[in-house]
């Protein structure tokens, strides 16, 4: 993401980033929710559907803010979700659809919510544009709420004590 610094200088640049991130989140949450439904974990599925709706709402809000602006083209793969045990920037979309215990799903979601929060917090601090800083600050606060929701769920014994799935054997899994 080496162009971030430049792109974050302007409202359209920031909005384009935000849309890409929120749309990616919505898609991944839908995959996580579907996967949890397959495993009959309705509570985790409901959590992911809720977070999917939050991401969709964010994306809609940002689209509304961007009305009439020309947004820069961004490479969508820069916004792929990461998995906690993967190298930074490695795409783990396959894992997200492959799943997995609810614990692992919650871990991946939390990891990416923290990334999102840190991204918005960084823009809120560093952008030279006051409007970008304000918008990013609001987004950072909302992402923090999502982080809190996931952390609270992960702390509950039925999720925190859950063992990894035995036959979990995704493609291209790094050693360890
Ligand atoms: Zn979020």
């Amino acid at each position: 993401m080496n162009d971030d610094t430049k792109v974050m200088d302007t409202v359209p640049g920031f909005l384009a980033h935000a849309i890409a991130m929120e749309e990616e989140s919505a898609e991944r949450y839908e995959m996580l929710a579907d996967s949890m439904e397959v495993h009959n974990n309705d509570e985790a599925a409901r959590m992911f559907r809720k977070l999917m709706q939050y991401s969709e709402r964010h994306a809609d809000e940002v689209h509304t803010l961007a009305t009439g602006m020309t947004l820069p083209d961004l490479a969508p793969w820069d916004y792929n979700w990461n998995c906690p045990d993967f190298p930074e920037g490695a795409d783990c979309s396959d894992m997200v659809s492959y799943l997995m215990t609810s614990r692992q799903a919650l871990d991946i979601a939390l990891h990416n919510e923290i990334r999102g929060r840190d991204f918005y917090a960084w823009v809120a601090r560093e952008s030279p544009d006051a409007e970008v800083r304000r918008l990013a600050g609001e987004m950072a606060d909302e992402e923090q709420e999502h982080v809190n929701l996931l952390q609270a769920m992960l702390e509950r014994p039925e999720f925190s004590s859950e063992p990894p799935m035995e036959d979990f054997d995704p493609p291209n899994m790094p050693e360890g």
Side-chain angles (χ1 to χ4, degrees):
M1 299 228 250
N2 36 356
D3 283 343
D4 279 1
T5 321
K6 201 170 48 197
V7 167
M8 285 318 125
D9 290 358
T10 67
V11 173
F14 170 66
L15 296 180
H17 271 248
I19 287 169
M21 285 178 64
E22 299 297 337
E23 287 179 348
E24 163 75 2
S25 290
E27 243 175 74
R28 298 300 153 216
Y29 277 127
E30 184 164 31
M31 291 170 105
L32 289 175
D34 289 348
S35 173
M36 290 298 101
E37 270 157 23
V38 169
H39 295 314
N40 294 314
N41 193 324
D42 294 336
E43 204 185 354
R46 268 198 303 279
M47 169 65 96
F48 293 137
R49 294 251 178 252
K50 185 158 76 174
L51 289 164
M52 178 188 81
Q53 284 160 7
Y54 290 156
S55 300
E56 283 173 348
R57 206 181 308 154
H58 260 164
D60 286 349
E61 284 168 10
V62 179
H63 273 297
T64 305
L65 288 170
T67 308
M69 295 181 197
T70 306
L71 302 187
D73 284 328
L74 300 174
W77 50 87
D78 283 344
Y79 305 91
N80 286 340
W81 270 26
N82 288 344
C83 288
D85 300 328
F86 275 46
E88 188 66 24
D91 181 11
C92 65
S93 323
D94 289 347
M95 268 179 86
V96 172
S97 60
Y98 202 82
L99 291 181
M100 202 186 250
T101 66
S102 54
R103 166 90 202 259
Q104 288 170 314
L106 287 164
D107 277 340
I108 290 178
L110 177 61
H111 178 80
N112 286 282
E113 289 290 345
I114 289 172
R115 264 179 89 210
R117 178 203 64 194
D118 290 351
F119 167 77
Y120 287 127
W122 170 70
V123 176
R125 233 178 17 245
E126 301 292 337
S127 175
D129 186 287
E131 179 66 0
V132 170
R133 288 197 303 275
R134 188 187 66 76
L135 290 169
E138 283 176 13
M139 304 287 262
D141 289 346
E142 285 170 37
E143 297 309 330
Q144 181 63 53
E145 285 169 30
H146 305 166
V147 168
N148 295 345
L149 280 173
L150 287 164
Q151 268 168 349
M153 200 161 176
L154 266 164
E155 274 162 22
R156 284 162 40 191
E158 67 266 40
F159 293 108
S160 61
S161 65
E162 203 177 65
M165 212 164 81
E166 302 262 316
D167 60 348
F168 179 54
D169 185 24
N172 308 319
M173 187 72 172
E175 270 182 65

